[in-house]
Amino acid sequence: MKLGMVGLPNVGKSTLFNAITNAGAQSANYPFCTIEPNVGMVSVPDERLEKLAAIYKPDKFTPAVIEFVDIAGLVKGASKGEGLGNKFLSHIREVDAIVHVVRCFESDDIIHVEGSVDPLRDIETINLELIFSDIEMAQRRLDRTLKALKGDKKLQGEADFLKRLIAHLESGLPARSIELLDESEQEILDTTALLSAKPVIYACNMSEDDFRNGIDSNRNYLAVKALAEKEKAEILPICAALEEEISSLSDEEKALFLEDLGLERSGLDRMIQKCYHLLGLISYLTAGKPEVRAWTIREGTKAPQAAGKIHSDFERGFIRAEVIGFDEFMDVCGGSMVTAKEKGLVRSEGKDYVMKDGDIVLFRFNV
């Protein structure tokens, strides 16, 4: 999973990126500090995996990972080449989802490129640049479709949808918020490669006082929250400065620090949870002495395709999957696969089995 972190200059994007990845991206109080995208790999926290590791004491421990890409700050006119322009847009094109960092805190010490703090204006600035690029992309596809339509009347539905999509974009709305009437429209949208169709999490960068006083006391956050609901986007209240402080603490110190703020998990953990939900992702687990590992798949993936994540031979020669749910494995079998088999709780599943989050799996295959 590849997530692109975007935002106007000086909204705390690179500070947040540094905190959650410890990748050491440069961070400074002036625009375009980030020119080439910085990349950081982050392990997905999973208590289930840690419990399996305690049982098996594996030679290798491999959690799922997320790749964060810190993309250069954007300014008005990027779609026309202003600022870093097309380079910015091409970097967004490569990610699975966008983490849009917006500034929701006031500070006289940190300049804002627009001279004041207004997250809805900032969001509109970036959204419009993505939309302008998308209008051009959708129009090119429509032109091709209309040309092909002369010889294939079955393309009329595609042409009608593209016209409706362009009108939607021209009204200033992102592609992800358009109402889709059927699966064919979803397929057209998916294959048009639009930037504003990508799933978005609005990461509202707030102050430490906001977390201590209650985030709903911040009117900027509430405004972004209302917009996110309208756009079918996710929202994440976060404090980049706090995340930076947390990143240097031990696990025990981190737990105490979060408890003092009334938070159960760090911003990174909450962001990962939002990303999984946004992209419809789950994890299945493999466990044994050689390795305990988490594998990320899309919800609805069937067993052979899940096996293919490990190796293409597993999918090609798939015979069956031996499966037990993590909770059943721990609660009923006490973490013993021998007990699980004795109780007949390890199921033999075929090619039509749809994987579930937390499945512990052994794939049988033959090539």
Side-chain angles (χ1 to χ4, degrees), residues 32 75-78 81-85:
F32 306 129
V75 293
K76 284 181 181 176
E82 294 293 327
L84 296 171

Side-chain angles (χ1 to χ4, degrees), residues 5 82 101 103 108 173 182 245-246 253 275 313 328:
M5 298 183 68
E82 294 293 327
V101 184
R103 179 172 164 181
D108 294 332
L173 296 171
D182 53 40
E245 192 170 343
I246 288 170
E253 291 170 329
C275 292
D313 284 351
E328 190 174 34

Side-chain angles (χ1 to χ4, degrees), residues 143-156 159:
D143 292 343
R144 291 195 305 271
T145 301
L146 289 174
K147 189 175 180 180
L149 182 60
K150 295 174 183 177
D152 186 355
K153 297 302 180 185
K154 288 186 289 187
L155 291 172
Q156 185 63 56

Side-chain angles (χ1 to χ4, degrees), residues 29-70:
N29 186 23
Y30 55 87
F32 306 129
C33 174
T34 307
I35 297 175
E36 292 300 328
N38 296 290
V39 177
M41 304 296 288
V42 174
S43 297
V44 175
D46 192 332
E47 289 183 359
R48 300 170 304 189
L49 206 63
E50 292 171 7
K51 289 177 180 177
L52 289 176
I55 293 168
Y56 286 96
K57 298 179 174 50
D59 300 329
K60 191 176 180 183
F61 178 83
T62 311
V65 294
I66 292 178
E67 181 177 345
F68 282 95
V69 183
D70 179 23

